Amino acid sequence: FSALNIDSARACTLTATDTSRSLTTATSTSVTVSLGSTTKLAFTTQPPTTANAGSSLATFRVSVEDSFGNVITTGAGATDVVTITSSCTLGGTVTATAVAGVATFSKLAIDSAGACTLTATDTSRSLTTAASTAVAVNPDTATKLAFTTEPPAIANVGAVLTSFQVSVEDTFGNVVTTGNGAKDSLTVTSSCILGGTATATAVAGVATFSALVINSPGTCTLTVTDTSRNLTTAASSAIDSRSAQSALSVTSLAGTI
């Protein structure tokens, strides 16, 4: 045998077997196989498949390995700092120092809802990064309202405003698509006089207002309140509400010039 490799770094023995006939096998003396060069990272314990936004994930681990998947327990890489990044918003502790080649993450949180993957990078040397399996992150408890589509900046008194939307969200700005708050009734109030339809029921956490009217001129803002539970209210950007007479005066002046 002149081209046999052992890829596992540990004490190994070899067993020889005759594939043509039933002969007694032979076992070699022990071979101690050393680790290869440090080349990559790998998730040896994956993060959970589901999580809640803002809550620490169940503990997961990332190993510093050679090209054959052996953990680098000593030497270059065994005590490196590993950092987690993601296209999703992360919270908590995103770095961990490897101990005997294994970095343990126990205080990492994902703040944005959706399907998220984590990428592990070695901050000390250029190793191949590791990508986790997907984590499905659910929104946290509903805490606030937010204008996801603002009302128009300019409106005519008595005319229906262009449609705008308000979302029921958790602390991290995720829309609460199911559960408490996702189907709540929202009401719009203002220091200006309102008409039309000032209430809307959320669908998957989003309420659409398409028949609201402002009946007084001036600078107006809208405030949205959840009538079902105590959520932080949302205030719109300013609306310049103009009467038909003032709009006509501006047009006439422009024509005179």
Side-chain angles (χ1 to χ4, degrees), residues 35-99:
L35 294 165
S37 301
T38 306
T39 60
K40 65 178 182 176
L41 299 178
F43 280 85
T44 43
T45 304
Q46 290 284 346
T49 55
T50 59
N52 290 328
S55 297
S56 293
L57 301 180
T59 299
F60 62 92
R61 293 177 175 83
V62 177
S63 295
V64 183
E65 299 181 350
D66 65 14
S67 59
F68 305 104
N70 301 302
V71 178
I72 305 294
T73 54
T74 60
T79 58
D80 282 2
V81 175
V82 178
T83 300
I84 301 295
T85 58
S86 178
S87 57
C88 297
T89 304
L90 302 180
T93 304
V94 298
T95 60
T97 301
V99 177

Side-chain angles (χ1 to χ4, degrees), residues 133-157:
T133 52
V135 183
V137 183
N138 300 312
D140 198 17
T141 304
T143 61
K144 64 178 181 177
L145 301 177
F147 278 86
T148 44
T149 304
E150 290 280 351
I154 299 173
N156 292 327
V157 170

Side-chain angles (χ1 to χ4, degrees), residues 134-227:
V135 183
V137 183
N138 300 312
D140 198 17
T141 304
T143 61
K144 64 178 181 177
L145 301 177
F147 278 86
T148 44
T149 304
E150 290 280 351
I154 299 173
N156 292 327
V157 170
V160 174
L161 299 180
T162 304
S163 292
F164 59 92
Q165 294 180 318
V166 178
S167 296
V168 181
E169 299 182 350
D170 65 13
T171 304
F172 308 101
N174 301 303
V175 177
V176 178
T177 55
T178 60
N180 293 336
K183 297 179 180 180
D184 282 2
S185 177
L186 307 186
T187 300
V188 175
T189 59
S190 177
S191 57
C192 296
I193 300 171
L194 300 181
T197 304
T199 61
T201 301
V203 176
V206 179
T208 301
F209 293 86
S210 57
L212 185 69
V213 175
I214 298 177
N215 287 329
S216 57
T219 301
C220 307
T221 56
L222 307 179
T223 301
V224 181
T225 305
D226 189 306
T227 57

